[in-house]
Amino acid sequence: MKLIRNSITDDLHQKCLKELNEKVSENCWKSSSVNWIDEIKKGIVGSCIVTPVSDIIHNLLEEKLNPILPEYRELVCQYYIWQPQSGISWHKDSGRIFGATLYLNDLWHPDSGGWFIWKDDRGHHTILPEKKLLVINDQNQYHCVTPVSLSVFRCTIQLWGNY
């Protein structure tokens, strides 16, 4: 895993949050409960909702992050709102060059769950969501997200580098 702190500017972060807040009331969301395979929902009772970022935000993200992302043919960028009790079971992002998470929440308390855990040859590693932190999984490592608490939403942009 590669961890890049302050991966985007404050201005771009605010643009992402503004668009995410505008999309909240739109009829454009898919639910993990319906659209994710059973394997990555094991032990998870909540639902994560997903929608694409706009072309404008996509282009801004691609321009800013392209120098630090592995080479790809296609970049997919999606907003994820991790609702209470949502998470994702242990899995790999197979079939892609990389998967990446960009954290949007300004603050995140350790008691709120939503911890990102991954395993490599040195053992297990855990990080707490951190504003503008980009985590890049370009080694197809096993990882999961612990269930989010009942009182908050965990907001991210997931980026997928496809062949």
Side-chain angles (χ1 to χ4, degrees), residues 6-40:
N6 293 310
S7 63
I8 60 173
T9 63
D10 287 334
D11 180 59
L12 180 51
H13 177 256
Q14 288 304 310
K15 287 177 180 174
C16 292
L17 287 177
K18 182 177 186 288
E19 179 175 83
L20 175 61
N21 287 326
E22 290 169 355
K23 284 182 171 272
V24 166
S25 61
E26 293 179 15
N27 187 16
C28 61
W29 296 89
K30 291 184 177 183
S31 169
S32 63
S33 296
V34 175
N35 293 290
W36 289 2
I37 60 173
D38 288 341
E39 178 182 314
I40 60 175

Side-chain angles (χ1 to χ4, degrees), residues 50-127:
V50 179
T51 194
V53 303
S54 68
D55 289 343
I56 292 169
I57 294 296
H58 183 281
N59 292 338
L60 291 170
L61 287 168
E62 193 164 25
E63 180 182 329
K64 176 64 180 165
L65 299 176
N66 198 45
I68 57 178
L69 293 174
E71 286 189 35
Y72 55 86
R73 188 178 60 76
E74 175 194 38
L75 183 66
V76 175
C77 302
Q78 300 170 311
Y79 290 113
Y80 277 42
I81 296 179
W82 302 80
Q83 299 177 103
Q85 298 301 308
S86 68
I88 192 166
S89 304
W90 284 96
H91 70 285
K92 290 184 174 186
D93 295 331
S94 300
R96 296 187 161 105
I97 298 168
F98 69 87
T101 301
L102 175 61
Y103 295 99
L104 297 178
N105 294 81
D106 285 330
L107 298 170
W108 194 260
H109 192 278
D111 289 341
S112 297
W115 289 81
F116 180 82
I117 306 171
W118 76 96
K119 184 180 189 300
D120 63 20
D121 55 1
R122 295 178 296 138
H124 290 84
H125 310 273
T126 306
I127 58 165

